[in-house]
Amino acid sequence: MEPVEVSREILAPLEKVFAHFVSPSERERLTLHQEHVKEYRELDRGEKHLAYEFVFQSYGFRFWGKAREEFEPCAKTRIFVEAGPLKDAIIDLLFEPTEKGTLVRQITNVPEKAQGPLRRLFGTQLVSRVRALTAVHLDQHGRDLEGLEPKTYTTAGEARAAAAMDFLRLVRAVSAPMILFPLLVGAALAAGEGTFSGWRLALTLAGGLLALFAGNLTNDIWDFEGGADHATLGSEESQMTSSGALLSGGLSKRGAWILTAGLLGGATLFGAILTLDRPLVPFLALAGAAAAILYQAPLFRLSYVGRGLGEICVWLAFGPIPVTGAYYVQTGIITKESFTLGAIAGLGAALVLYCHHFLHWRSDREAGKMSPIAAMGPATGAKVGILLSILFAASLAATPWLFGIPGWAALSGLIPLLLIPTFLRVANPEEKSTRRAWLLVQRAGAAFAASLTLVSYSLWK
């Protein structure tokens, strides 16, 4: 895409116009540009530079980013976008005195890697919409400097109020079985040994659910900042698996953090009650939090490093940690049997996550999120998925010998094998439809739930 240039003559002296652009107050960023700048926070300021983070929105497309401005007094401002989906974009603002005031020219250069998602989203209108947004930006500054009434510039798909969001969709409640079944199977192991408390199980399930919902929200926040969701939104060949609330504007980043804190507060309360006579509960909770942080937090972001490291975090967070934790809450002890059972459950959870990658492997690759499928491609990824299914199946089939439960529990090992035909169907790298990938995800989730239900029942009996 060629650089997009737009100019406007502003009826004000050069020095005043330059200062208006390079010394923005919060009012000028959040009130003057309120239709498009939704959040703004200054990070660093010097005599000839300014660094800040922002959330920008237009045409239903919302993204987070960081930028740095460098000034040449009364002549030029160069803006470098340093983070977010438009990373490496460069915007030049040139200032020239005229007889009536000041001519401001804005030149926008969008990097090639950012053009893909934008082009798929805006199509042939990409250049015209960048030009329109530039014109709006200059006009907002011009009208403010000239003392004119501000105009309202709305674009299609602007944000809806957060109150309109469905809470269950926001926290991705559909993922609840991923934590509920490991907790139930841990309690079932304890019940099979003659120890069970209903109220302990209820608090464990409630705390686990709230912690999962908080983790889902933080994952959405960090994917929003990292650009993975924007790449998915702009791709016809990928399917969004986040709630999409941050992208649509239904929830601000600050609101998401507040809601996350509330959910974690509730989980902490339930954990504190259980800690009264189970002192290791906080340590198990911290272990789960550490797995989540390693998986998604920007400092580590193993889900972006990918190549199976994210799956290891999921194996821990939905396997050994919750199963051992639920067993400990019931019995007050930790055993190798509870860890082994957790390792088996974790294989199923990792398999479910692995299948999710087929939904958006192209956009993951574009955003630099190297999930196993983004790294290997669907053909090789499907073969590895078949091996994971067989490994999970073999582990389930071994449960009668590992835990002394009825032999018919080995039938649970047949369930993951039903995924093999679907893996073969998603192996074609030319297959652009996400329908088969969704089918794989649904069947993987069903296999996870059904197999752990069968094992839990046999343990309880």
Side-chain angles (χ1 to χ4, degrees), residues 20 23-42 52-57 62 137 140-141 144 150-151 252 254:
H20 198 271
S23 302
S25 65
E26 185 171 317
R27 180 191 69 83
E28 290 163 346
R29 293 288 184 171
L30 292 175
T31 303
L32 184 61
H33 304 310
Q34 61 183 322
E35 290 91 356
H36 304 116
V37 179
K38 300 302 180 182
E39 296 181 31
Y40 171 79
R41 184 169 71 92
E42 190 173 298
Y52 51 88
E53 65 176 342
F54 61 90
V55 172
F56 186 87
Q57 175 181 301
R62 176 179 279 218
H137 173 237
Q140 285 169 328
H141 277 281
D144 194 53
K151 290 178 64 176
S252 69
R254 180 174 180 272

Side-chain angles (χ1 to χ4, degrees), residues 132-206:
L133 291 171
T134 304
V136 166
H137 173 237
L138 295 180
D139 192 52
Q140 285 169 328
H141 277 281
R143 296 181 72 85
D144 194 53
L145 281 162
E146 294 167 358
L148 301 175
E149 287 294 319
K151 290 178 64 176
T152 299
Y153 304 88
T154 56
T155 58
E158 285 296 324
R160 300 179 183 273
M165 293 298 299
D166 178 3
F167 175 76
L168 294 179
R169 187 170 73 86
L170 185 64
V171 297
R172 286 187 276 157
V174 69
S175 64
M178 294 296 294
I179 192 65
L180 293 181
F181 280 97
L183 293 174
L184 287 170
V185 80
L189 179 63
E193 296 174 358
T195 304
F196 177 74
S197 168
W199 71 268
R200 290 183 187 279
L201 177 60
L203 290 179
T204 303
L205 294 176

Side-chain angles (χ1 to χ4, degrees), residues 282-297 300 302 313 316-317 321:
F283 297 97
L284 291 165
L286 287 173
I293 289 171
L294 287 171
Y295 178 77
Q296 56 183 274
F300 306 101
L302 295 186
C313 294
L316 285 168
I321 294 173

